[in-house]
Amino acid sequence: MVSRTSISPARPIDAARARGDVARSPAVRRTLIVVLVLNALVAFVKVVVGIRTGALTVLGAALESSLDMFNNVIGVMLVRVASRGPDEDHPYGHDKFETLGALAIVGFLSISCFELLREGVSSFMGRRLPVSVGSVDVTVIVFTLVINVVVVIYERRRGRELGSAFLLADAAHTGSDILVTLLAVGSRVLSGSAWPHLDGVLAIMVALIIAWSGYRILRESIPILVDERAIAAEELKSVVLAVPDIRDVRKIRSRSTASGQLFAEVTISVSGSRSVDEAHRLADAVEEAIAREFGTSEVTVHVEPA
């Protein structure tokens, strides 16, 4: 049996993609730094106004923005680790550290979801006391809402462009902050209305929206962490069988990383009369075929006699 392992040669378009993968991690870090600066601005404004006015609601919002900053700092460090190449302890690279960061954000979302549900139930039971909001509070809320909307739009767009699970998860977390802030404004408006319990209904609705966001992040992250197959076996098999002189495909395994790199293991059978050199040539041909079809990949090909 002949075993062959290499990084697949790629077409010009795939080579360009490979160069893009090299620049991906710095681009993700730059995006997080921009978001960090914007969150720092929001936190600074809230702290200044909160100290001057003594408004606990604003100081509480400042703490929330500070947690966003902390999350961004953690993200920068995790993405830096994820950008490292393979080493002796991590032969497949460090990409999964970015996915772990996305799961950490799910933890923050879970806390927000729990607090909102608790507040919603308290409102139904009539235990929550109304809180007055002054004009300064409203001005700060509107200002920070605008910045947060910009952050969500920018971070979500960059996350899709770079294929970053962490950026998309962080955008979802900031989006939940916007919903919470809007809920706070709405609850104050409704506090004196004829629907006092509508505040609790809104809280529960927002909690469910946040829970859905967390579920979507888990749905994208868990398959990578548990090495779910990246490509259907039949699809990969058809690509391999299209290579001339391949008799059969006996075994196929595949998985992918957060950056989209494909890892595959393929066992092929060829005529027993083939020489070792010919077997290696067929292994190279299989690697090239997979690279042409699926992009940047690292393929292990095992050759067995038919």
Side-chain angles (χ1 to χ4, degrees), residues 234 236-238 240-252 266-271 282 286 301-306:
E234 289 300 321
L236 192 55
K237 182 177 180 179
S238 65
V240 176
L241 288 177
V243 176
D245 299 324
I246 301 295
R247 295 282 186 88
D248 191 18
V249 179
R250 295 178 176 174
K251 186 177 181 181
I252 289 179
V266 181
T267 300
I268 61 175
S269 62
V270 301
S271 172
L282 288 174
V286 169
V301 181
H302 302 281
V303 182
E304 296 180 349

Side-chain angles (χ1 to χ4, degrees), residues 172-207:
H173 181 243
T174 305
S176 71
D177 291 344
I178 294 175
L179 291 175
V180 172
T181 305
L182 289 174
L183 172 64
V185 175
S187 64
R188 299 289 76 78
V189 172
L190 296 170
S191 60
S193 69
W195 303 286
H197 294 299
L198 190 57
D199 182 19
V201 174
L202 290 175
I204 294 173
M205 289 178 61
V206 172

Side-chain angles (χ1 to χ4, degrees), residues 75-117:
V76 170
M77 293 189 295
L78 285 175
V79 171
R80 182 180 294 276
V81 173
S83 66
R84 297 175 183 172
D87 56 28
E88 185 175 352
D89 294 326
H90 304 86
Y92 292 101
H94 298 73
D95 275 3
K96 288 186 179 181
F97 280 91
E98 183 177 338
T99 308
L100 288 175
L103 292 183
I105 293 179
V106 174
F108 287 111
L109 289 174
S110 300
I111 294 173
S112 299
C113 183
F114 172 79
E115 289 297 323
L116 281 171
L117 286 174

Side-chain angles (χ1 to χ4, degrees), residues 53 57 74 117 141 143 145 201 235 239 246 294 296:
T53 63
T57 54
I74 294 297
L117 286 174
I141 288 173
F143 175 75
L145 271 178
V201 174
E235 184 180 359
V239 173
I246 301 295
F294 303 108
T296 305

Side-chain angles (χ1 to χ4, degrees), residues 25-46:
S25 292
V28 173
R29 290 200 300 271
R30 286 194 297 269
T31 301
L32 284 172
I33 290 173
V34 171
V35 173
L36 173 62
V37 171
L38 292 175
N39 283 331
L41 175 61
V42 170
F44 175 76
V45 172
K46 289 178 180 178

Side-chain angles (χ1 to χ4, degrees), residues 102-144:
L103 292 183
I105 293 179
V106 174
F108 287 111
L109 289 174
S110 300
I111 294 173
S112 299
C113 183
F114 172 79
E115 289 297 323
L116 281 171
L117 286 174
R118 185 170 63 86
E119 289 294 316
V121 173
S122 297
S123 177
F124 271 119
M125 299 181 68
R127 293 202 304 259
R128 192 170 73 176
L129 298 176
V131 180
S132 61
V133 178
S135 59
V136 174
D137 294 348
V138 174
T139 301
V140 171
I141 288 173
V142 172
F143 175 75
T144 56

